[in-house]
Amino acid sequence: MATGRGRSRTFAARPMKCSETLNAGIKSLYLTPPIKLKPNVCIESLPPEVLLKIFSYLDAVSLLTVGCVNKRFYELANDNGIWLKLYSSSLHPKWTIRKMKSKQTETLSLGCAAVHDRKPGYWKKEYISKQTSALRTRVMRLAKFLDPYTGLPCKNKEAMKVSGLSWIIVLKDKNGKEHVIEKPNLSFMDTSVTVLWHGTDWPCLDILSTLKLFGVTPLLPDQSIPPSKNGPHRFSLIAEYHLANLTEKSVVFGADELVQLFSLSPGLLVGIWKEKNEIAFVMANLHYNQLLERSILGSATVQYVPPPNKPLLDDIDSEFGLHDYSLHLDLHGRNCRYMCGSFKCLFCRKGDIENGYLRLRVVNLKDNRKHLPVIGTLGICWETDVFKGNVKDCFVMDLTLLDETGKPFWCFSAPVHMELSTKSSGLYDYMGHMYTADYADSEGKVCVEILWLEETKEYIIVSLVLYVSTKKVNSWYGTSY
């Protein structure tokens, strides 16, 4: 109550009016029909004209990726108008605006004819073919830089960076399912690269049938950004190996406390856990000779086949079988180098040709001036996510034999196992056990004798002989030995 000038005033609420307002609000809340929400607009439901407009803003890699979504997107992503635009921009990237305006009418008329007169996807294939050809040209240009000692490409790392090259293995089980193993560890040597894959979720060895080694490059590499894992790639088959009954058919190449090694030609090592019949790691030894070609120029099903050699017309010598050959030899254990040497002016006489082979003697057992010391204890290093080890009495041999013109004649990178020899060395200057390490393939054989010196605890190569197949020589020169 408030008072003023002797009068009293009373303030009171109006309950009837408030309750009516509240009831009206509650009724409106319950009686108002629900709002119908618009359904979500899916990009697949858009008209083709709108989708083509959206696709026209994509780059080539994104356009190829979106074409893998479904059949409709694939057909729209093959539109000749979009790909002709990309093709034209790549064909004349440095044209100025003035030049573009001067040829605007001609380009427009040509573009209309090129779009309507071609089948869908024509300019897509032309664009990819042009970009692939340009990439191969850049890579092969780098491959022409040769090392003066080995005669092999010396800019392989730069070429790998330009092309985005990597290597994967695909394990196929007996049911046809494929398991892709990526992200290997790389170890570079003078004439080879060793590629090591390891993991914990590999399939059991008993169900595996084949292993394929691929070189993988982005279909359209971009130097400004790293290659996308999910983008389009090109696969080049390098080698295929059969894994069925591996532990039963193959002899153990070497072993340590944890793993057993099995060797598969050419140049593959498979490490198997001793405690369980599962793969611990796979090691591939890749020689630099035509490595880029084999990793890039092949297809997903067919390996790259090098062109035949073109021999010199005057390569005839009545006294010598082979002359002025050069050899570069590396012995290593993936991460460590044991021996590296180059040998010039190798030759063989007609009398050195027998039993289908031409003999090239590099290191003579009786000439101790040419005996070669080996650094360290021979063995092959391996590692996984958790364990690492070293399998002794074996190593990786990288052999590069050049002909009289300096061309790679016979090259390989392969694991070699040492065995204790039963014969004595016959050398009075050295006292110790003699070991032999032999390698053979369709092109020739290598016989190495290694002496272990007890006093100095070191290995010495006392004999090294190459046996080159006469079939290889006849194929190389087009002659008959």
Side-chain angles (χ1 to χ4, degrees):
M1 178 180 292
T3 59
R5 294 184 180 182
R7 296 183 181 181
S8 62
R9 296 183 179 182
T10 304
F11 299 94
R14 299 180 181 179
M16 183 62 67
K17 189 174 182 179
C18 179
S19 60
E20 291 177 356
T21 305
L22 181 62
N23 291 336
I26 295 175
K27 289 180 180 180
S28 64
L29 180 64
Y30 285 96
L31 296 180
T32 302
I35 301 175
K36 295 183 179 180
L37 299 176
K38 295 182 179 180
N40 294 330
V41 178
C42 179
I43 189 172
E44 296 183 11
S45 63
L46 294 176
E49 296 82 5
V50 178
L51 288 175
L52 285 176
K53 185 65 175 178
I54 296 174
F55 288 176
S56 66
Y57 292 101
L58 300 179
D59 57 19
V61 174
S62 301
L63 203 57
L64 290 173
T65 304
V66 78
C68 299
V69 174
N70 53 41
K71 183 178 179 181
R72 184 168 183 247
F73 278 21
Y74 175 79
E75 294 175 350
L76 293 174
N78 278 352
D79 181 72
N80 278 332
I82 298 177
W83 284 103
L84 178 59
K85 180 182 176 182
L86 292 172
Y87 183 88
S88 301
S89 62
S90 65
L91 188 64
H92 304 291
K94 297 182 180 181
W95 272 9
T96 61
I97 298 178
R98 181 177 58 83
K99 291 182 179 180
M100 290 294 291
K101 288 183 178 180
S102 65
K103 296 190 177 183
Q104 184 175 6
T105 306
E106 179 183 355
T107 304
L108 181 60
S109 60
L110 178 62
C112 293
V115 169
H116 297 293
D117 294 345
R118 303 293 186 180
K119 294 181 179 180
Y122 172 83
W123 287 108
K124 169 186 172 181
K125 295 180 181 179
E126 289 295 313
Y127 177 84
I128 294 176
S129 176
K130 177 181 178 297
Q131 295 297 322
T132 303
S133 177
L135 172 64
R136 290 179 177 178
T137 301
R138 292 198 300 268
V139 173
M140 292 303 109
R141 188 182 297 119
L142 290 173
K144 291 181 179 179
F145 291 92
L146 303 180
D147 187 288
Y149 295 100
T150 64
L152 299 173
C154 59
K155 292 193 175 183
N156 288 283
K157 291 185 179 180
E158 292 86 342
M160 288 179 56
K161 184 177 180 180
V162 169
S163 62
L165 173 62
S166 62
W167 294 281
I168 67 169
I169 54 175
V170 177
L171 301 171
K172 188 175 182 180
D173 60 28
K174 298 177 181 179
N175 296 325
K177 184 179 179 181
E178 294 184 343
H179 308 265
V180 180
I181 313 297
E182 302 174 308
K183 298 181 179 179
N185 296 335
L186 305 180
S187 301
F188 293 92
M189 290 293 170
D190 289 344
T191 58
S192 71
V193 56
T194 302
V195 191
L196 178 70
W197 295 269
H198 58 81
T200 57
D201 55 348
W202 291 35
C204 183
L205 180 62
D206 293 335
I207 67 172
L208 295 179
S209 60
T210 60
L211 182 153
K212 292 184 178 181
L213 171 61
F214 290 96
V216 181
T217 52
L219 187 60
L220 301 172
D222 187 352
Q223 300 302 312
S224 60
I225 58 175
S228 173
K229 177 183 177 181
N230 299 322
H233 289 77
R234 181 183 297 275
F235 291 79
S236 178
L237 179 64
I238 299 177
E240 182 176 359
Y241 307 88
H242 295 280
L243 299 181
N245 303 321
L246 174 65
T247 57
E248 299 175 3
K249 295 182 178 180
S250 304
V251 179
V252 177
F253 177 81
D256 61 7
E257 294 81 4
L258 298 175
V259 299
Q260 291 180 327
L261 297 185
F262 293 87
S263 177
L264 298 176
S265 181
L268 191 78
L269 277 178
V270 180
I272 308 297
W273 294 114
K274 280 187 174 180
E275 298 296 330
K276 49 185 179 179
N277 195 29
E278 294 182 1
I279 297 178
F281 60 87
V282 172
M283 184 186 302
N285 301 283
L286 304 176
H287 197 277
Y288 281 163
N289 181 40
Q290 296 183 340
L291 175 60
L292 296 174
E293 292 87 343
R294 291 182 292 145
S295 302
I296 297 177
L297 302 183
S299 69
T301 56
V302 180
Q303 301 181 37
Y304 168 78
V305 179
N309 179 57
K310 296 180 179 179
L312 297 176
L313 297 178
D314 59 346
D315 188 64
I316 299 176
D317 196 311
S318 58
E319 183 180 358
F320 297 102
L322 300 177
H323 58 88
D324 290 334
Y325 269 53
S326 301
L327 172 68
H328 186 85
L329 185 67
D330 278 338
L331 306 183
H332 62 90
R334 189 176 76 89
N335 285 333
C336 50
R337 189 193 307 272
Y338 301 126
M339 196 278 293
C340 177
S342 296
F343 309 88
K344 305 291 184 180
C345 301
L346 301 179
F347 66 92
C348 74
R349 301 181 184 274
K350 291 290 186 179
D352 296 326
I353 304 174
E354 58 181 359
N355 299 326
Y357 290 97
L358 291 83
R359 184 179 63 192
L360 292 173
R361 188 175 297 278
V362 183
V363 177
N364 195 332
L365 179 66
K366 299 179 180 180
D367 189 358
N368 56 9
R369 297 174 301 173
K370 295 184 178 181
H371 293 172
L372 305 172
V374 176
I375 301 174
T377 303
L378 296 173
I380 295 179
C381 302
W382 62 270
E383 63 180 276
T384 64
D385 294 330
V386 180
F387 300 100
K388 61 176 58 177
N390 185 291
V391 180
K392 297 182 179 180
D393 296 333
C394 56
F395 53 86
V396 178
M397 177 185 293
D398 297 342
L399 182 142
T400 307
L401 184 62
L402 308 178
D403 67 7
E404 68 275 16
T405 65
K407 292 182 181 180
F409 175 80
W410 179 29
C411 303
F412 67 82
S413 177
V416 178
H417 177 68
M418 296 194 320
E419 294 182 355
L420 184 62
S421 178
T422 56
K423 68 176 184 178
S424 60
S425 63
L427 300 175
Y428 299 101
D429 297 335
Y430 305 125
M431 295 296 294
H433 296 290
M434 183 74 76
Y435 292 85
T436 60
D438 299 333
Y439 171 83
D441 60 23
S442 61
E443 298 186 356
K445 300 185 297 184
V446 182
C447 297
V448 184
E449 293 185 351
I450 305 174
L451 184 68
W452 170 253
L453 297 180
E454 292 289 348
E455 295 182 358
T456 58
K457 303 296 182 181
E458 64 177 340
Y459 290 102
I460 294 181
I461 296 178
V462 296
S463 176
L464 173 59
V465 183
L466 309 184
Y467 296 91
V468 183
S469 170
T470 55
K471 293 183 179 179
K472 169 67 176 178
V473 177
N474 295 338
S475 174
W476 187 262
Y477 291 107
T479 57
S480 178
Y481 279 96

